[in-house]
Amino acid sequence: MSACVRIRHDHTAHSSPPSRASGIKRPHSPPPPRRGGRFRIAGADLSASITVFLIAVPMSLGLAVAMDAPLEAGLISAAVGGIVAGLLGGTPLQVSGPSAGLTVVTAELIQIYGWRTTCAITIGAGLLQILLGSLRAARGALAVSPAIVHGTLAGIGVAIALAQLHIMLGASPKSSAAANALALPEQLGRMSPAAPLIGALTITVLVVWPRLPGRIGRAVRRLPAALASVAIATAVATVAAPGIARVDLPSWRSHALPELPQGPVLALATAVFTVLLVASLESLLAAVAVDKLTADRAGGRTADSATPAPAAQPVRRADLDRELRGQGVANVLSGLLGGLPVSGGAVRSSANVRAGATGRAATVLHGVWVLLAAGLLVTALEWIPLAALAALVMVVGFQMVNYAHIRNVHRHREFLVYGATITGVLLFGVLEGVAIGIAVAVAVALHRLARTRITVTDQGGQHLVIVRGQLTFLAVPRLSRALGQLPRGGDAVVELDGFFMDHAAYETIQDWSDTQTAQGGHVVFTGRSGGRIAEPASAAHSCCRPWTPWRNHHCHDRPDQPGHPVDARRAATGAAFAPGESPGAGQGPTASGCADADARAADAVDATVGSTDRLDTPGHGAAVPRRTGAHRLASGLSSFQRNTAPLVRDELARLAREGQCPSQLFITCADSRLVTSMITASGPGDLFTVRNVGNLVPPPGAEAGDDSVGAAIEYAVDVLEVESITVCGHSGCGAMQALMNSKPDTPQTSLWRWLRHGLPSMERMTSRHHAWARISGRLPADEVEQLCLTNVVQQLDHLRAHESVARRLAEGALQLHGMYFHVGEAQAYLLAEGASAGSGVDEVFDRVGPCDPNHAHPYDITDLSDPTGLGVPGDHSAMPSPTITADPADPPGSGELERTSA
């Protein structure tokens, strides 16, 4: 494998968060507002607005007929919804107009309070929408169960269809859905043929028009099916049924405006809340649907294969709070002008997206065309038969009963909630139906929470206890009875198949398990897949978990047992545990190596007890055997043979047959805390590793005795033909600490003779002609960390001096990488590309994030408490600051790096 990770190419020392002007935004956040932009009209927006206008006019008239409202009120709400909600809403491509979901509610309000009071109720609902949008409550509306929302809309759709069926048969609808259903047989017995035939013709054209085949079909499909069906029905009715009931638009001078509401306050408040609820839910659900349609279109997918997908555009997520405020303003204005309640419509919005609209100009223009039609096309609109409009709205009602929604709620076992909501809406009303749906949803949730199946099976001396469902206090009596029937001190496997366990159930199981264990029994807890509960779910179900062999890798030492040697040493010496560390956690040494206080205390205890292999633990009174090095080695080997060898045997057998072919030479320190295969997520055969004290690379021509590293480099480059070489340093390096503390009279021991290859790194760090190496986003913590970083850069220079490396670099067949691993943070950093190649002046180590490096470099280096981006807060006054000075004669960009003291 390769440890190469894409790094950024602009080698600046610091990074800052992107500005709002860049257009970059965090996921799931509202789009940044356009500043200083003009209202632009593209050609696609103009054509899309005409398409939506041709759908909106017959739809608005039909909904006004269905609500028994003044017909001009439908046109007013369509114009206001298009212009006002289009300009102020948070979903640019959503088209608002008369609310299909409020058809039944508005019709009932008009019957009870009259038209003018209904307009006042619309104003009140709009004011509440503005308030909720300002309080950022739009997302909360989507928290209602989808089964309840879709059930409400489906119930409204059925009620609309039943009411419009009466109009299509030439009669008037009744006051409720149940009354319409009961009166239907009588109406079928005394209907006249003209209106039903015109309605049937309208439905036929609506269904057939989008499916017309061939080249002619593709051409005529550019005309919306709604307009085509109404136009054809109008033409046929003009010739075949001149006496059929038609649209009657009264004079605008007699148009009724709102009045102060009159009636019981509680009933009026309930009416306002109902209009608010249905209109808001319909608009927000339509906004989410428009988001999905826009994303599909941006990805090159369109629902109509005859319509080419427009060029990909940046997808802006809907701002639901702004959308709710825009709908509120539109409802207030529509009510003031004597219009119907307004909401976002899925039919109009999807037509707008599919027609190629690119912005809110299409929505606004559609409203302008509706406004012009209301003033100039009154004579033409009055030719439309009421039966054609009723058939159009009836089809819309049937479309609100979505089969995909039914299948979805059935798959999630929520059909009971869906059916109860529909029934409640049809029998009692919208608000009552929603309340019934919520009550049934709560009852279903409680039933599922309390439904727990417990079975006990005897498997020849071992009992299997299977618990299906959630474990709450309601299941504790049955659980205690089932566990109490098991023999005391016996072996048992408890399989828990559920995602929730409350405190009462946990204590019951824990107490029983402790009792069984104390009496000599063995209890194992598993999930449905058979994995132990102690194994995290992410590990139990992950096919790639390279960290697992190192997690709790000293578990064979049983550190959780009282009197573990590590804890006993600390208890004997009074050494404190590190913050967040508990006894028996098996924590390794701190970043300062073996010089930490706990290790010194442990060594002092060892010296006190001498050569004994037992250690008395204060407070326990029992001697605990200490693990010797040989025992630890044997135990680890045994653990490998038992757990790991069966998993890697086939892979190692393949490598044994085919030989090694690593892709990377990895030169790192011999520090025991660096597990190269773990931090690089590599496996057998991936890395050719060289480890030495200080991850040093002696330059060619060094004295005898230093040829081991050179031989490894030559073998890896010339024989194995690796693709890259990585020099990896780490935090808290003891070799760098030794270099910092060295004195001229340091004894010439073997260790010092080796560490002399790090002296060039010391010289580089103190030189005035080299910039300090830095970690992106902050300065090094201290001089030791600075030397660790500088040492990586210096050893890369030594590496380039080797003949085989220089040759492969010149051929372009080899890459060099610098890496720094912070042990305490478990965080890797990569040296910037130019510095690794020896061609860059900025020696910056960039943080490697958890994202896929093949997609984007995961910069996550911004400290919000340091808005300048120059480093983390703290006192760095003791550290020199690198500055860049350039000779005037030098070409631009070739400045010499010079160090000045702070």
Side-chain angles (χ1 to χ4, degrees), residues 766-778:
T766 57
S767 171
R768 296 172 55 86
H769 302 288
H770 291 281
W772 274 49
R774 298 181 301 282
I775 294 180
S776 57
R778 68 174 178 87

Side-chain angles (χ1 to χ4, degrees), residues 112-408:
I112 297 175
Y113 301 107
W115 170 244
R116 300 180 67 183
T117 299
T118 302
C119 291
I121 292 173
T122 301
I123 296 173
L127 293 174
L128 286 180
Q129 283 181 314
I130 297 173
L131 176 62
L132 292 178
S134 301
L135 295 176
R136 300 185 176 275
R139 287 283 176 187
L142 299 180
V144 181
S145 169
I148 297 175
V149 174
H150 297 314
T152 302
L153 296 179
I156 292 172
V158 173
I160 291 173
L162 288 173
Q164 297 312 295
L165 182 57
H166 281 273
I167 297 178
M168 197 180 76
L169 295 177
S172 299
K174 306 300 179 181
S175 59
S176 66
N180 283 323
L182 293 175
L184 192 57
E186 180 185 355
Q187 180 61 38
L188 290 173
R190 56 185 178 86
M191 66 179 181
S192 60
L197 289 177
I198 294 298
L201 175 63
T202 305
I203 295 174
T204 302
V205 176
L206 275 173
V207 174
V208 173
W209 193 263
R211 296 172 174 82
L212 292 176
R215 183 178 302 175
I216 297 178
R218 286 195 297 272
V220 299
R221 282 204 303 268
R222 296 182 182 276
L223 190 67
L227 179 65
S229 62
V230 172
I232 293 174
T234 301
V236 172
T238 302
V239 177
I244 195 172
R246 302 178 188 276
V247 169
D248 182 17
L249 286 173
S251 172
W252 285 104
R253 284 176 289 186
S254 62
H255 180 65
L257 296 177
E259 65 178 1
L260 290 176
Q262 298 178 358
V265 176
L266 182 60
L268 290 173
T270 303
V272 171
F273 180 76
T274 304
V275 173
L276 165 73
L277 176 67
V278 178
S280 300
L281 283 176
E282 190 175 13
S283 298
L284 296 178
L285 289 175
V288 173
V290 170
D291 260 0
K292 294 178 182 178
L293 287 174
T294 308
D296 289 346
R297 189 183 69 177
R301 301 186 298 274
T302 56
D304 186 1
S305 59
T307 304
Q313 307 244 342
V315 179
R316 290 177 174 268
R317 292 175 59 95
D319 184 343
L320 297 183
D321 294 306
R322 179 180 175 183
E323 179 65 30
L324 192 57
R325 292 194 298 271
Q327 294 292 334
V329 175
N331 271 311
V332 170
L333 190 57
S334 179
L336 287 172
L337 297 177
L340 298 173
V342 172
S343 72
V347 176
R348 297 180 293 260
S349 301
S350 61
N352 191 38
V353 174
R354 291 188 174 96
T358 61
R360 60 181 76 244
T363 303
V364 176
L365 284 176
H366 126 271
V368 173
W369 306 145
V370 172
L371 192 61
L372 293 176
L376 303 178
L377 300 179
V378 173
T379 303
L381 296 176
E382 288 182 340
W383 283 93
I384 301 175
L386 292 180
L389 295 179
L392 176 64
V393 176
M394 187 175 70
V395 171
V396 172
F398 279 126
Q399 290 175 345
M400 294 172 71
V401 186
N402 194 309
Y403 177 71
H405 294 160
I406 297 175
R407 184 174 53 193
N408 194 33

Side-chain angles (χ1 to χ4, degrees), residues 22 66-67 158 161 185 264 282 352 355 385 399 430 649 672 687 710 722 741 768 802 893:
S22 67
M67 298 178 190
V158 173
E282 190 175 13
N352 191 38
Q399 290 175 345
V430 174
R649 185 170 287 116
S672 61
L687 299 181
V722 295
N741 297 334
R768 296 172 55 86
H802 284 259

